[in-house]
Amino acid sequence: MAGTDGHHPGEGGGPVIVLVRPQLGENIGAAARAMLNCGLDRLRIVAPRDGWPSESAAASAAGADIVLDKAGLFDTTEEAVADLTRVYATTARSRDMTKPVLDPRGAVGEMRAADPDGAATGILFGPERTGLTNDESTLADVLVIAPLNPGFSSLNLAQAVLMMAWEWRMSGRESFAGRVLETGATRPATRDELLNFFAHLERELDSCGFLRPPEKRPAMVRNIRNLFLRGEPTEQEVRTLHGIVAGLTRWRGAED
Amino acid sequence: MAGTDGHHPGEGGGPVIVLVRPQLGENIGAAARAMLNCGLDRLRIVAPRDGWPSESAAASAAGADIVLDKAGLFDTTEEAVADLTRVYATTARSRDMTKPVLDPRGAVGEMRAADPDGAATGILFGPERTGLTNDESTLADVLVIAPLNPGFSSLNLAQAVLMMAWEWRMSGRESFAGRVLETGATRPATRDELLNFFAHLERELDSCGFLRPPEKRPAMVRNIRNLFLRGEPTEQEVRTLHGIVAGLTRWRGAED
């Protein structure tokens, strides 16, 4: 049976998110919000415990009503995935079944390679308390297991949806490269050291009348602080800056 | 001023998560849960609107009480970041300030390179409704902006924390490589086509008594389905499989 969400494989819009027997409406709404944050809008819901539509889902969707309004409602997980060609099952732990396992980033990389717009791809999420049954996991090609803290791996349902939706979104982009400051023998200044310097400098700038008129002072202070912060001063350099300000202002006391 | 969360720069535990003037206790709790999911446990809270400690935070932490119990409470953002050497401000949009901008993955890559255990690194998150003020953003070295859906970019606070905590966790790992199936001129079978084949096969296996005893049937069916799914059959191959089952069972009708 084809889905009732108005999409067909090939139409695009990223993978289908399938919530299997979700218990709390607020998690359905929060999942819809997380999906739309990441540009996904194809939601299918299998046998929600508290019925459908759901007022608590609408309240927690925070404006993602479009996702809820066109969500497909299904009696069984089989029907919800019938028209898909790739199905991934998110689960907290490995099952006793011979099935490939990938982490979320690896799984999304594979989805993008096999089905670049995700049109015929679905991701299953189980109920809050129990997760997917073995029979439901068996419907999938691949198990997706996030390498979370082994001592605390139970993720909120909407958080799990965000994780996959976010990985999907990022998989379509190039990330910026990292940028590192070489500090040599010294170390980056602490925030406290920088704030002390800013206080010193701004006290002197107030005193010489530079930070006027008063209504412009906040923006001027921000611009000056940003200028110094962009330089990412070291502890050594902050001491130098203190010395510069002290040096530049020494004559003023003498002239008074 | 040093934090009151029991950690010192250099002790490890990943970056400090700083929630600036959070409004809802349930978001603080959900953020603590997301942190601990990803192995982070250093939380600092600046001037929470509804006071601290918070019953609603504890309720939504879902067991991450350890994070809440040792969270540091601060009156100002300046105090909360005073002992840090690298500070990142998450924000939904670019500000009118000359400050480096990175996406979450790029920012975390940079954090790892500059401060591998995150000990002296902090990530700021603003209040739910308004985000960080310009003065608060100015405390940071770098703005972190997630490339979300431009038409719907407002992320729940705990979801934003999960995103950064998850990126931190993944930045310490190698992801699995993707895996792609070459299908040539045909296409992967739909789930419906596969389920039709399973129904056909299992009907015949029931009929010949293979799927006995009944209490073992569910596990046997799962194992057989998993075996075929691991092969990732094409539409062409599913038709072949139907032909094989039909061929293998044709004699049975004749013998009856």
Side-chain angles (χ1 to χ4, degrees):
Chain A
M1 184 191 124
T4 58
D5 56 4
H7 282 267
H8 305 281
E11 188 179 340
V16 173
I17 300 297
V18 184
L19 303 184
V20 177
R21 298 180 286 111
Q23 300 174 272
L24 297 173
E26 67 185 84
N27 282 337
I28 302 173
R33 178 179 180 183
M35 287 173 61
L36 196 57
N37 282 149
C38 295
L40 303 185
D41 62 1
R42 300 198 295 156
L43 175 62
R44 297 180 182 178
I45 307 171
V46 178
R49 185 188 68 183
D50 296 338
W52 193 257
S54 155
E55 279 184 27
S56 60
S60 66
D65 306 72
I66 185 176
V67 176
L68 296 178
D69 291 346
K70 68 187 191 114
L73 184 65
F74 296 84
D75 292 329
T76 67
T77 309
E78 282 84 350
E79 291 171 303
V81 300
D83 62 335
L84 305 176
T85 63
R86 296 285 298 167
V87 178
Y88 294 75
T90 59
T91 170
R93 61 195 184 289
S94 178
R95 311 301 183 108
D96 283 333
M97 53 176 77
T98 314
K99 180 102 76 189
V101 174
L102 288 172
D103 70 22
R105 194 159 298 169
V108 165
E110 184 182 281
M111 287 176 207
R112 279 278 187 194
D115 181 18
D117 60 7
T121 299
I123 311 175
L124 304 181
F125 298 83
E128 290 86 337
R129 187 177 301 275
T130 56
L132 296 167
T133 66
N134 280 347
D135 281 332
E136 288 158 350
S137 295
T138 294
L139 286 167
D141 301 286
V142 174
L143 301 181
V144 183
I145 302 182
L148 297 171
N149 178 354
F152 193 76
S153 63
S154 170
L155 203 58
N156 168 268
L157 174 58
Q159 299 275 41
V161 170
L162 176 79
M163 181 183 288
M164 294 302 294
W166 166 248
E167 287 291 342
W168 173 264
R169 189 160 186 87
M170 285 302 285
S171 72
R173 299 172 46 93
E174 285 292 324
S175 187
F176 297 110
R179 177 176 58 77
V180 181
L181 181 72
E182 295 288 336
T183 56
T186 176
R187 59 164 176 79
T190 66
R191 209 57 23 159
D192 212 20
E193 291 163 346
L194 285 165
L195 291 172
N196 278 339
F197 167 66
F198 293 149
H200 179 186
L201 175 63
E202 287 154 17
R203 192 165 61 240
E204 292 297 342
L205 292 177
D206 276 324
S207 157
C208 74
F210 179 86
L211 292 176
R212 282 189 269 185
E215 66 272 20
K216 296 227 168 135
R217 188 182 187 283
M220 294 172 81
V221 162
R222 280 201 296 269
N223 288 338
I224 293 168
R225 290 184 174 201
N226 278 329
L227 170 65
F228 281 101
L229 281 168
R230 281 204 314 282
E232 301 184 21
T234 63
E235 182 272 338
Q236 168 79 59
E237 288 167 341
V238 169
R239 279 188 282 131
T240 303
L241 289 169
H242 275 293
I244 288 171
V245 173
L248 293 176
T249 56
R250 193 168 300 126
W251 61 270
R252 198 187 318 136
E255 278 202 343
D256 281 349
Chain B
M1 184 191 123
T4 58
D5 57 4
H7 282 267
H8 306 282
E11 188 178 339
V16 173
I17 300 297
V18 184
L19 303 183
V20 178
R21 297 179 287 110
Q23 300 175 272
L24 297 172
E26 67 185 84
N27 282 337
I28 303 173
R33 178 179 179 183
M35 288 173 59
L36 195 57
N37 282 150
C38 296
L40 303 185
D41 62 0
R42 299 198 295 155
L43 176 63
R44 297 180 182 178
I45 307 170
V46 178
R49 185 189 67 183
D50 296 338
W52 193 257
S54 154
E55 279 183 28
S56 59
S60 66
D65 306 72
I66 186 176
V67 176
L68 296 178
D69 291 347
K70 67 189 193 115
L73 185 65
F74 296 85
D75 292 329
T76 67
T77 309
E78 282 84 349
E79 291 170 304
V81 300
D83 61 336
L84 304 176
T85 64
R86 295 285 299 167
V87 178
Y88 294 76
T90 60
T91 169
R93 60 196 183 291
S94 178
R95 310 301 184 108
D96 283 332
M97 53 176 77
T98 312
K99 179 94 88 184
V101 174
L102 289 172
D103 71 20
R105 194 159 298 169
V108 165
E110 183 182 280
M111 287 177 206
R112 280 278 187 194
D115 181 18
D117 60 7
T121 299
I123 311 175
L124 305 181
F125 297 83
E128 290 88 336
R129 187 177 302 274
T130 56
L132 296 167
T133 66
N134 280 347
D135 281 333
E136 288 158 351
S137 295
T138 294
L139 286 167
D141 302 287
V142 174
L143 301 182
V144 183
I145 302 181
L148 295 172
N149 178 355
F152 193 76
S153 63
S154 170
L155 202 59
N156 167 269
L157 175 57
Q159 300 273 41
V161 170
L162 176 78
M163 181 184 288
M164 294 302 294
W166 166 248
E167 287 291 341
W168 173 264
R169 189 160 187 87
M170 285 302 286
S171 72
R173 299 172 46 94
E174 286 292 324
S175 187
F176 297 110
R179 177 175 58 76
V180 181
L181 181 71
E182 295 289 337
T183 56
T186 177
R187 60 165 175 76
T190 66
R191 209 58 24 158
D192 211 20
E193 292 163 346
L194 285 166
L195 290 172
N196 278 339
F197 167 67
F198 294 149
H200 179 186
L201 176 64
E202 289 155 13
R203 193 167 60 240
E204 292 297 343
L205 292 177
D206 277 323
S207 158
C208 73
F210 180 86
L211 293 176
R212 281 188 271 184
E215 66 273 19
K216 297 225 169 137
R217 188 182 187 284
M220 293 171 81
V221 163
R222 279 201 297 269
N223 289 339
I224 293 168
R225 291 184 173 200
N226 278 329
L227 169 65
F228 281 101
L229 281 168
R230 281 204 314 281
E232 300 184 21
T234 64
E235 183 272 337
Q236 169 79 60
E237 289 167 340
V238 169
R239 280 189 280 130
T240 303
L241 289 169
H242 275 293
I244 289 171
V245 172
L248 293 176
T249 55
R250 193 167 300 128
W251 61 270
R252 198 185 320 135
E255 277 200 341
D256 280 350

